[in-house]
Amino acid sequence: PEQPTSEQFSNLVSCEWAALSPAPAWVFVEDEGPHVGKCSVDPGLFRRMRHAPIVVNVVAPGPVRLQVLVEDYAGEEHRADPAWLPVMIDSVGKLQ
């Protein structure tokens, strides 16, 4: 699927955040950097994430991480989409 613009992504995140009502005591956010795909995380949100009162660094063993990546990006459902293979070839090509 096509990625939203960074502005649209920020709006989507804001809407999801606003939907957390009543506000939970804890919110868990995965942080792998200031970008999600081609979208930028709102700088204010990113700063708050980096300066949160508690930050938990979860490290998964290589085989576990690989399994998660395969399920997320190359599971049966994804491979059934005719557009999947060309997109994956293009993505892997960018890594080289």
Side-chain angles (χ1 to χ4, degrees):
E2 195 68 28
Q3 288 193 347
T5 64
S6 288
E7 182 178 9
Q8 184 181 12
F9 176 72
S10 290
N11 291 336
L12 292 168
V13 170
S14 295
C15 289
E16 290 293 325
W17 198 276
L20 298 174
S21 181
W26 296 90
V27 176
F28 294 87
V29 180
E30 182 178 4
D31 170 17
E32 291 188 5
H35 296 90
V36 177
K38 295 179 182 177
C39 297
S40 297
V41 174
D42 178 80
L45 174 59
F46 190 70
R47 266 191 310 278
R48 290 190 73 169
M49 289 165 49
R50 289 296 166 109
H51 295 96
I54 297 175
V55 175
V56 178
N57 185 21
V58 178
V59 179
V64 172
R65 182 71 177 132
L66 179 60
Q67 183 61 39
V68 169
L69 289 171
V70 168
E71 290 171 6
D72 285 352
Y73 296 102
E76 276 186 52
E77 185 178 314
H78 295 287
R79 292 192 317 271
D81 181 347
W84 176 81
L85 185 58
V87 169
M88 288 304 291
I89 290 171
D90 182 54
S91 295
V92 170
K94 291 176 184 176
L95 296 173
Q96 298 174 346

